Amino acid sequence: MGDRARGVALYATTAVLLAGGVTWWFRAAPGEEIDPMIPQWRASAQQLLPDVPGQDDADTIPLAAGSDHQVVAVVDTGKYQISVVCVGGQNSQVRVSLGEAATDSGRGLDCSDDPQSDRFDVGAAGRLRMFVVVSDAGPVVFRYTLLRIAD
């Protein structure tokens, strides 16, 4: 066997091993674990806190247990009503705060059993930041709406 044939055989073997390794790598990767209740909880959150005409912002966000999430809305200067609700499994809760992360105690929401929406008014100028922290019991679906109110 000549040098040329050995080189071709070496490169072909390397290509086959590389393709096999890449295939194994992607097939062995763990799948993303998604709670089967998320779509049902999303529908419940949207039913408990539906979109309203004239709202400035709204979103429905699935969040994992023990996670935190920052919501930033670009708003005009004025007074706003924030409505929030969360829906989740047994003993799940979230804490919503408007100050810098971990600088105010915020409001706690129970996401299990019979979730209820909560509303509060705030003044904002330019940006409205909301920090959402999920308890160790989760996941949950968090929904908020932001509506400007007359001064």
Side-chain angles (χ1 to χ4, degrees):
M1 185 190 260
D3 288 339
R4 191 173 191 96
R6 271 185 270 166
V8 169
L10 181 61
Y11 283 117
T13 303
T14 302
V16 168
L17 288 174
L18 181 61
V22 168
T23 302
W24 169 82
W25 176 264
F26 284 107
R27 293 195 62 158
E32 185 177 330
E33 189 175 319
I34 299 175
D35 193 303
M37 294 299 294
I38 295 289
Q40 181 180 343
W41 291 340
R42 180 183 293 271
S44 294
Q46 290 173 334
Q47 183 179 12
L48 288 166
L49 189 56
D51 287 330
V52 295
Q55 70 189 18
D56 290 275
D57 196 17
D59 200 2
T60 306
I61 309 159
L63 299 168
S67 68
D68 58 341
H69 182 77
Q70 179 180 349
V71 174
V72 178
V74 178
V75 296
D76 292 329
T77 300
K79 194 171 184 181
Y80 291 85
Q81 181 182 69
I82 300 174
S83 301
V84 293
V85 68
C86 72
V87 181
Q90 189 169 357
N91 298 323
S92 58
Q93 299 174 332
V94 299
R95 182 153 295 282
V96 179
S97 62
L98 296 175
E100 290 297 319
T103 60
D104 71 17
S105 63
R107 290 178 178 256
L109 292 171
D110 186 17
C111 305
S112 59
D113 299 330
D114 186 25
Q116 299 292 319
S117 62
D118 192 8
R119 291 184 167 89
F120 48 94
D121 296 344
V122 298
R127 290 182 192 262
L128 180 79
R129 293 182 195 277
M130 185 167 37
F131 297 93
V132 182
V133 179
V134 183
S135 68
D136 290 336
V140 302
V141 172
F142 175 77
R143 175 159 172 80
Y144 73 92
T145 61
L146 181 62
L147 180 66
R148 184 166 183 167
I149 53 180
D151 294 324

